[in-house]
Amino acid sequence: KAGVTQTPRYLIKTRGQQVTLSCSPISGHRSVSWYQQTPGQGLQFLFEYFSETQRNKGNFPGRFSGRQFSNSRSEMNVSTLELGDSALYLCASSPGQGRTTEAFFGQGTRLTVV
Amino acid sequence: AQTVTQSQPEMSVQEAETVTLSCTYDTSESDYYLFWYKQPPSRQMILVIRQEAYKQQNATENRFSVNFQKAAKSFSLKISDSQLGDAAMYFCAYRSGMNRDDKIIFGKGTRLHILP
C-alpha cells in the first residue's frame, strides 16, 4: 500500500508570492490534516478535511487555505508569503471515521521564503 | 484547550541502555488518545506507540513501552536496549476521542541522542 505522498519536497519562494502544496493520502483514507513545523513553534495544526469538507481549523491567518478533492487528495495554499511562513509542512492521512486513531504522515514539504 | 508538555528538549543515552522520555498533558476530556511519534532526520513522522485513555494497561511495542498515569496526566515513553537507529526527535501527542475531527496536538519534542 502506498504511503502518504507530498509534493513538492522542497520549494523556494519569494515574499509576496503564493504557493500550493499537494498531499495524496493513503488509498481509502478520507481524512487529510495539515501541520506546520518550525523550530520555534513546533508542530501546529493548520486544518483537517474529511470528504471534501473542512472539519477543523487551527489558529492561522486567512492567507492559509486548503481544499480536498473527491479522490481525497488535498492541497493547501498560502498567499502573500511572509518570511515567517518558512517551515516544514506535514500532511497526515487517516480513515477519518470510527475509533481508528492512527494518522500516517508524509515526508513533508520544506518551504523556504526569501 | 488541551496542551501537551515535554520538559526535556534533549536527552542522551548510551547504546543498549534504557531511557525514559517525559510527557504531561492537560485536558478536561475523559475520552482521548495519546501517542508517541518519532521523527528521524528523514523528517518522516512515525508512530511509535499509542494509548487509549480508557485502557488501564500500559501499551507496549517491542522495546517501547509507556507509563500512563491518567490521574496525574502523565504519559512517559521508555525505550529499552537503545539502538543507534532510535536517535530522533520524539513527540508526545494528544487526540480527542470526543470530537469528530482528527486534530492532533503535539508537544515541542525531545531530541534523543544515542551514544555509541
Side-chain angles (χ1 to χ4, degrees), chain A residues 35-74:
Chain A
Y35 296 84
Q36 182 195 63
Q37 186 176 15
T38 59
Q41 298 298 318
L43 280 148
Q44 293 187 289
F45 173 77
L46 280 155
F47 29 65
E48 186 229 2
Y49 286 87
F50 175 78
S51 291
E52 302 178 66
T53 301
Q54 188 181 85
R55 283 205 295 199
N56 201 348
K57 187 179 190 304
N59 189 25
F60 278 82
R63 300 185 297 107
F64 292 80
S65 63
R67 59 177 175 169
Q68 187 179 35
F69 301 95
S70 58
N71 62 357
S72 294
R73 189 178 71 85
S74 177

Side-chain angles (χ1 to χ4, degrees), chain A residues 61-94:
Chain A
R63 300 185 297 107
F64 292 80
S65 63
R67 59 177 175 169
Q68 187 179 35
F69 301 95
S70 58
N71 62 357
S72 294
R73 189 178 71 85
S74 177
E75 289 181 347
M76 69 162 280
N77 184 77
V78 188
S79 62
T80 319
L81 283 165
E82 300 177 1
L83 295 179
D85 297 332
S86 294
L88 178 66
Y89 290 88
L90 291 168
C91 160
S93 143
S94 64

Side-chain angles (χ1 to χ4, degrees), chain A residues 35 94 99-105, chain B residues 4 6 21-25 32-38 45-53 59 66 68 75-77 90-97 102-107:
Chain A
Y35 296 84
S94 64
R99 304 289 291 186
T100 304
T101 59
E102 185 169 352
F104 296 84
F105 285 81
Chain B
V4 177
Q6 293 179 250
L21 309 184
S22 301
C23 172
T24 58
Y25 60 95
Y32 54 88
Y33 305 87
L34 297 167
F35 309 90
W36 279 98
Y37 279 91
K38 168 185 177 181
M45 292 280 276
I46 302 163
L47 179 66
V48 174
I49 198 165
R50 68 175 170 218
Q51 174 82 42
E52 291 87 344
V66 297
F68 174 46
F75 183 62
S76 61
L77 174 70
Y90 285 82
F91 293 95
C92 179
Y94 172 101
R95 177 184 174 270
S96 171
D102 282 0
K103 175 183 175 181
I104 299 174
I105 299 167
F106 289 90

Side-chain angles (χ1 to χ4, degrees), chain A residues 5-62:
Chain A
T5 304
Q6 289 188 246
T7 57
R9 291 288 306 279
Y10 301 91
L11 210 47
I12 300 175
K13 289 286 188 179
T14 304
R15 268 182 304 174
Q17 286 187 313
Q18 76 163 22
V19 68
T20 299
L21 311 183
S22 179
C23 173
S24 292
I26 290 171
S27 177
H29 285 190
R30 295 165 63 188
S31 168
V32 174
S33 300
W34 289 90
Y35 296 84
Q36 182 195 63
Q37 186 176 15
T38 59
Q41 298 298 318
L43 280 148
Q44 293 187 289
F45 173 77
L46 280 155
F47 29 65
E48 186 229 2
Y49 286 87
F50 175 78
S51 291
E52 302 178 66
T53 301
Q54 188 181 85
R55 283 205 295 199
N56 201 348
K57 187 179 190 304
N59 189 25
F60 278 82

